[in-house]
Amino acid sequence: MDKKLEMLQCLIGGRAFAPSHSALAKELGYKGKMGIYRLMDGAVRPDTVDKTWRLIMERYRLTEEFLCSMARTFFGAGLFYATLAAQMNRSHPRWAENLVLSLTADLYDHCSPQFRAETAPVLKDLKADEPNVYWGIVALVYIRAKGIDVYKCKGGPQGAAAQIIDALDRLLYGAYPEKAGAHEAACNLKAMAGGCTGLWSVVWNCVILFRHYAESGFMAEAAKALRLFGFGKRSYWLAPGSVYGPGAEVWLLTEQGCGRQTGGHYLTMRLRAGADICSFGLADAMLLLFWATDGEGGAPVLQVCRGCAEERQWCFYRYGYDAERLELRFEAGPDTVSPAGLPGALRMVDLAEPSGKDEKVWAKILAEWDRSRGEAVFMQAREAVSGITDMSAAYRIAGVSLSKDALTIAIEHGGSVRRYRLPSERYGFLSEINPSQRVVITRHAGSGDTLFADWPELGYSVRLDEFTTA
């Protein structure tokens, strides 16, 4: 019980949930603020500690494990801040940014011998053993070093989250320009910053950002929280009662597993029928992210993403899935201002064994369309939501080799093959890849005609003009 009280005192004292004791009391439904003050003084009964703990979990929809982890984060930030700050030249205008880069790369050459001997090993172990706690400490240290009060920022915690994520992304993307996947994650986090309710949620968004930049396998790790249903790589869906004809709509869900079988998301296309399959085309493209529930009564939440990069927009639905009827049901969240246009229900078309006259017509049309135009429209949709154009048709990868000294990619273009060489010391991630991993040549929105070598499953991207050619 004393441990739980200590954790609450640490979090409340650190203003994790609200700017003041009275504000937190109001958030939790207390009639006055004295209960929070007594808790901070330790002058409460064990059942009062339990009640406050439970109310915080319920109000902010947190698990006990997450709450304990966040308490360790706030405690660690208080423990390490002065020691870390003392290693920096605080007269330098970007000392906070330099500290973040040091903590990201484990670069402590500039620190005192005592720090390197005593503190650095502790930090490295914490990063390996409890990455969420470690990166939360880094986020809190940065926020404190920059003098940011998230409750006084324009827009409150939501505005602060967008500001902090943008600043950290510019810093980290500048240091790691090959990590296009992490930059994409930052764009998503900024777009979803409106969901931040307090300092704890700002810190958690920063943890996700740091882990995307620092951990090459984090995309697959993050995908564990998302649900795939086993519909197959491609599945077609109709609103119940839909009849084929010009203007009719069908939804195509394409599974994106991020290297996993059970976790991932769906690149989704809303297709509108024309007079024939040639005019059956893309009306909209979006990402559907079905969050897995925790099995403790958590509401099934669907995140819908439209647009790409800085123009990306998110909205939220509740969803249900009936496996027997192969039916998805959707209800826009109460705070959703601009829903994505999902119907109330979608039922999957059985292309192999359709039942009923209408489904048989749809199955025949869709199977023919999939064979003739499906891949081209899929590429169009993927470009719309990612801002990345696959140039594989014009620039074919003829071979990839990796030595101790360099990465070499042979690219066939215009009937001839050129070899592109990148020294191994240029980017640290080259030590993590192997020649069998998929690499494609792409163009990125906003980069003109510049070509990139992308490793889409790993989230890495390097400008092709950084390679030397032969």
Side-chain angles (χ1 to χ4, degrees):
M1 183 57 64
D2 288 344
K3 193 67 175 176
K4 189 176 289 186
L5 175 60
E6 288 175 10
M7 287 190 284
L8 284 175
Q9 290 171 331
C10 177
L11 289 166
I12 295 171
R15 302 163 75 227
F17 307 108
S20 65
H21 294 351
S22 57
L24 178 61
K26 185 176 180 181
E27 285 273 309
L28 299 182
Y30 285 124
K31 293 181 180 180
K33 60 186 177 182
M34 292 310 298
I36 300 296
Y37 278 102
R38 285 195 294 270
L39 184 144
M40 295 301 291
D41 291 336
V44 291
R45 298 191 305 271
D47 60 328
T48 301
V49 174
D50 280 336
K51 177 184 177 182
T52 305
W53 183 269
R54 187 183 69 255
L55 285 174
I56 287 175
M57 288 175 56
E58 292 173 354
R59 171 65 182 83
Y60 302 105
R61 299 179 181 178
L62 306 177
T63 65
E64 186 161 79
E65 181 182 7
F66 184 93
L67 199 54
C68 292
S69 176
M70 193 56 67
R72 291 195 296 275
T73 295
F74 274 71
F75 176 79
L79 181 66
F80 286 111
Y81 179 82
T83 302
L84 290 168
Q87 303 303 308
M88 307 303 295
N89 174 14
R90 280 177 283 177
S91 63
H92 193 287
R94 290 181 61 81
W95 75 269
E97 287 79 3
N98 292 335
L99 176 57
V100 166
L101 292 176
S102 293
L103 292 167
T104 302
D106 296 330
L107 293 176
Y108 302 118
D109 293 348
H110 63 281
C111 297
S112 68
Q114 183 179 3
F115 181 95
R116 294 199 301 270
E118 299 177 2
T119 306
V122 174
L123 292 173
K124 291 178 181 179
D125 285 350
L126 185 60
K127 180 194 280 189
D129 297 338
E130 293 190 87
N132 289 341
V133 172
Y134 177 82
W135 292 115
I137 291 171
V138 176
L140 278 170
V141 166
Y142 173 78
I143 290 169
R144 180 174 172 184
K146 298 296 290 184
I148 299 171
D149 184 336
V150 303
Y151 300 106
K152 293 182 179 179
C153 287
K154 183 178 180 181
Q158 297 91 343
Q163 170 192 327
I164 293 166
I165 291 166
D166 183 65
L168 288 173
D169 177 51
R170 282 187 280 110
L171 174 67
L172 295 169
Y173 197 34
Y176 304 99
E178 74 278 15
K179 298 197 174 182
H183 175 61
E184 176 76 3
C187 293
N188 295 343
L189 290 168
K190 282 190 289 184
M192 294 188 293
C196 290
T197 58
L199 177 56
W200 73 269
S201 50
V202 176
V203 170
W204 179 241
N205 276 270
C206 292
V207 167
I208 296 171
L209 175 64
F210 278 123
R211 293 194 68 181
H212 270 288
Y213 270 105
E215 301 173 30
S216 59
F218 188 66
M219 284 199 302
E221 180 70 21
K224 292 180 181 179
L226 302 175
R227 181 180 181 186
L228 294 177
F229 295 89
F231 301 144
K233 291 297 182 182
R234 283 182 167 178
S235 58
Y236 290 89
W237 299 74
L238 298 167
S242 295
V243 178
Y244 176 75
E249 292 187 343
V250 61
W251 297 74
L252 169 56
L253 274 62
T254 59
E255 188 178 282
Q256 310 296 303
C258 302
R260 296 185 55 80
Q261 295 296 315
T262 57
H265 62 275
Y266 293 91
L267 171 56
T268 301
M269 290 155 268
R270 180 164 61 90
L271 306 170
R272 183 174 293 122
D276 52 39
I277 63 168
C278 292
S279 55
F280 197 103
L282 184 66
D284 200 359
M286 61 193 73
L287 300 177
L288 300 186
L289 291 77
F290 295 90
W291 286 87
T293 59
D294 57 16
E296 299 179 0
V301 173
L302 166 66
Q303 277 182 280
V304 183
C305 164
R306 301 171 73 191
C308 67
E310 301 293 343
E311 303 302 319
R312 183 157 285 182
Q313 297 177 335
W314 295 86
C315 62
F316 296 85
Y317 287 75
R318 291 178 180 269
Y319 75 90
Y321 176 55
D322 187 325
E324 290 187 7
R325 293 170 56 86
L326 294 177
E327 184 175 281
L328 286 163
R329 294 181 298 276
F330 307 103
E331 180 184 351
D335 299 325
T336 297
V337 178
S338 302
L342 292 174
L346 285 172
R347 188 170 296 167
M348 190 166 75
V349 179
D350 189 337
L351 296 180
E353 297 182 8
S355 61
K357 177 183 176 181
D358 290 331
E359 188 175 39
K360 288 178 180 178
V361 171
W362 275 111
K364 181 180 179 181
I365 293 294
L366 292 172
E368 185 177 353
W369 180 87
D370 195 286
R371 285 191 299 271
S372 63
R373 301 196 63 231
E375 187 62 26
V377 175
F378 170 76
M379 299 294 286
Q380 181 185 354
R382 187 167 66 178
E383 182 178 342
V385 299
S386 69
I388 296 175
T389 303
D390 190 331
M391 303 298 294
S392 296
Y395 298 86
R396 187 183 70 85
I397 302 296
V400 178
S401 63
L402 188 64
S403 69
K404 182 179 180 180
D405 298 322
L407 165 73
T408 303
I409 304 176
I411 302 174
E412 181 183 341
H413 174 63
S416 62
V417 176
R418 300 184 71 177
R419 296 168 64 82
Y420 290 77
R421 185 180 186 276
L422 186 69
S424 296
E425 69 268 14
R426 184 73 61 85
Y427 290 107
F429 84 92
L430 295 177
S431 64
E432 304 171 13
I433 66 172
N434 62 68
S436 65
Q437 288 166 322
R438 188 166 74 96
V439 56
V440 293
I441 304 305
T442 65
R443 282 201 175 104
H444 294 189
S447 297
D449 293 331
T450 301
L451 294 173
F452 292 80
D454 284 7
W455 288 260
E457 281 77 23
L458 301 176
Y460 292 119
S461 182
V462 178
R463 291 168 61 104
L464 210 57
D465 57 17
E466 292 190 42
F467 291 70
T468 58
T469 58

